[in-house]
Amino acid sequence: MKKNAFPPSIVNLLLKEGQRWKVNGTMREALGTGIIPIVASARGGKTSLAYVMIDYVIKHTSRPVILDSFPQKVIDEGIPEHWKGRVSNQKFSDLALINEPAVWLLDDNAVHYNSRDSMTNSSKLLARAAGVLSHFGGGMTVIFTTQLLSGIDLSFLRFTTLAPVIRYIDSDVINQERKEWRGVVQQGQFELRKVCKDYRLRDYFYSSKDSILCPAPFPDFLNKELDPVKADYLSRPMRYHEEKDRLAMITGEVKRAKKGRPRKGEE
């Protein structure tokens, strides 16, 4: 994968701050901090593209990668060999404890960061984090996947550099998009339909900031024909959480064991 494999707005956030790369014959220095939202409906290729971006970070930078709240089993057994030693699974709530210019992946975040659930700690955390990503760890980048930008608290998108990526979005839900983003999403669908042969438009993605269509590579480590077990680890990582952790993801509560009465002689 070449250093200019992605459009400039995306490379600008994936490379470490100050790292140089060439754009149209001119050298640029990367900003190295901001947010890359990848927007698509289910099975629209959000996660696979996010993994390609992470692979780019592994190959072209020294930045650590954090897969937000991924099960330890996936980190131990599911990630590619060349990722090992570079990838961890801290929670995004631990953002202030990270002292390196990390790249975060927040995957399938509608459960955690839904803007309609504005009173949740996660939503408040993201709203606060957007303005300080450039200050922590020498500058951090967040890649997050979502089925619709209206499912994300707008505060998260307002105070930092963005490089949105548009993939296939079901026509029935586009009208539910925020008015600020609806035109961008519709333009992306129009551009994708001009070139894509896959019925879910997965052979290209649209970089809205650059107004560029790009071929969407599919990594070998997600190919179920090559290694179905490892491919499933990364395709559906959250299924490998323990039951109590899966419940906590949905309810926002940690189930605690009930305390029974002490038996006679145990008081």
Side-chain angles (χ1 to χ4, degrees):
M1 189 184 304
K2 296 182 179 179
K3 209 170 187 179
N4 60 354
F6 287 102
S9 70
I10 296 173
V11 173
N12 187 42
L13 303 187
L14 293 179
L15 294 180
K16 187 177 178 180
E17 181 180 359
Q19 199 170 345
R20 292 166 64 83
W21 91 105
K22 187 175 287 189
V23 181
N24 297 326
T26 303
M27 296 302 295
R28 288 192 190 178
E29 287 192 0
L31 180 65
T33 182
I35 302 171
I36 305 173
I38 304 176
V39 188
S41 292
R43 297 292 179 264
K46 302 184 298 294
T47 304
S48 62
L49 183 59
Y51 288 147
V52 174
M53 291 182 183
I54 288 171
D55 211 40
Y56 177 95
V57 170
I58 297 290
K59 291 177 179 178
H60 290 290
T61 82
S62 60
R63 303 181 76 174
V65 172
I66 304 176
L67 308 180
D68 171 55
S69 301
F70 268 43
Q72 189 60 42
K73 185 177 181 69
V74 174
I75 302 297
D76 293 339
E77 302 177 27
I79 65 174
E81 288 298 320
H82 65 282
W83 287 17
K84 292 185 176 178
R86 295 281 303 279
V87 174
S88 60
N89 58 342
Q90 286 97 324
K91 295 180 180 179
F92 194 66
S93 56
D94 294 334
L95 177 74
L97 303 178
I98 308 301
N99 293 315
E100 298 178 277
V103 175
W104 292 81
L105 171 60
L106 279 56
D107 196 18
D108 288 332
N109 55 28
V111 171
H112 301 283
Y113 314 124
N114 195 301
S115 64
R116 293 178 177 84
D117 190 13
S118 61
M119 295 307 293
T120 65
N121 289 333
S122 294
S123 182
K124 292 177 181 177
L125 172 64
L126 284 173
R128 290 194 296 266
V132 297
L133 285 174
S134 63
H135 297 271
F136 290 167
M140 297 188 186
T141 296
V142 174
I143 303 167
F144 71 84
T145 65
T146 178
Q147 295 195 32
L148 208 59
L149 283 169
S150 60
I152 305 299
D153 192 296
L154 197 59
S155 302
F156 191 40
L157 306 175
R158 201 174 278 153
F159 303 114
T160 189
T161 301
L162 298 179
V165 172
I166 310 299
R167 309 213 68 183
Y168 167 78
I169 300 176
D170 192 294
S171 58
D172 290 337
V173 299
I174 289 179
N175 287 335
Q176 306 304 314
E177 186 57 272
R178 292 184 187 277
K179 63 180 181 180
E180 296 92 343
W181 291 105
R182 193 176 302 150
V184 173
V185 170
Q186 289 172 330
Q187 182 66 29
Q189 301 308 289
F190 173 76
E191 299 293 343
L192 288 168
R193 291 185 188 282
K194 289 196 299 187
V195 297
C196 289
K197 296 180 180 179
D198 178 70
Y199 78 106
R200 294 186 78 81
L201 314 181
R202 288 173 293 198
D203 31 0
Y204 283 79
F205 67 88
Y206 180 69
S207 171
S208 66
K209 195 160 193 173
D210 303 282
S211 299
I212 292 175
L213 278 169
C214 306
F218 188 79
D220 286 342
F221 52 78
L222 289 180
N223 189 335
K224 293 182 179 179
E225 294 182 2
L226 296 178
D227 191 332
V229 176
K230 280 201 169 187
D232 195 66
Y233 275 134
L234 287 173
S235 296
R236 297 183 288 183
M238 298 308 164
R239 71 180 295 190
Y240 293 98
H241 273 300
E242 295 182 5
E243 181 178 326
K244 63 180 178 63
D245 295 321
R246 295 199 300 270
L247 288 171
M249 288 173 62
I250 301 301
T251 65
E253 298 176 356
V254 178
K255 191 174 182 180
R256 293 176 175 83
K258 292 182 178 179
K259 291 184 179 180
R261 286 186 178 183
R263 290 178 293 185
K264 195 171 183 179
E266 291 182 348
E267 290 90 340

